[in-house]
C-alpha cells in the first residue's frame, strides 16, 4: 500500500438564501432593483446602493454548504 497522497479537486458551493424587501412601483421593478443594486461580497457585507428607506434585507449569516463529487489530479 502506498502512502502517496493525491490532490483532489472538490467542487463546493456556498448558498445564501434570503430576501430583500424593496419599495418599488411593481414586482418587476423590485426584481430589477435587486438585480442592479443589491449584492454580497465574500469577506464583506450584504449591501445595496438603493436609499435605506427603500430597501431592507433578511439573510442568515451562515450559508448552506453543498459539496459535490470531486476529481483526482495526478
Amino acid at each position: 500500500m502506498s502512502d502517496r497522497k493525491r490532490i483532489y479537486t472538490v467542487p463546493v458551493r456556498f448558498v445564501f438564501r434570503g430576501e430583500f424587501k424593496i419599495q418599488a412601483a411593481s414586482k418587476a421593478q423590485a426584481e430589477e432593483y435587486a438585480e442592479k443594486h443589491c449584492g454580497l461580497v465574500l469577506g464583506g457585507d450584504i449591501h445595496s446602493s438603493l436609499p435605506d428607506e427603500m430597501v431592507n434585507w433578511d439573510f442568515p449569516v451562515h450559508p448552506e454548504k453543498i459539496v459535490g463529487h470531486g476529481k483526482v489530479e495526478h
Side-chain angles (χ1 to χ4, degrees):
M1 182 145 106
S2 172
D3 287 336
R4 182 172 168 229
K5 297 193 180 202
R6 301 182 198 177
I7 296 173
Y8 295 87
T9 300
V10 179
V12 178
R13 291 184 291 156
F14 292 98
V15 179
F16 290 87
R17 297 179 196 270
E19 57 188 29
F20 282 92
K21 296 183 187 305
I22 299 173
Q23 182 181 15
S26 67
K27 182 175 181 172
Q29 184 181 49
E31 289 173 351
E32 178 184 343
Y33 285 176
E35 180 69 35
K36 290 181 178 179
H37 299 286
C38 302
L40 168 67
V41 177
L42 196 59
D45 199 0
I46 295 172
H47 62 272
S48 174
S49 60
L50 294 169
D52 288 344
E53 62 273 3
M54 287 183 63
V55 64
N56 194 2
W57 57 268
D58 181 21
F59 281 83
V61 294
H62 297 286
E64 172 186 2
K65 181 169 41 175
I66 303 168
V67 178
H69 299 287
K71 63 181 178 182
V72 180
E73 292 181 20
H74 296 278

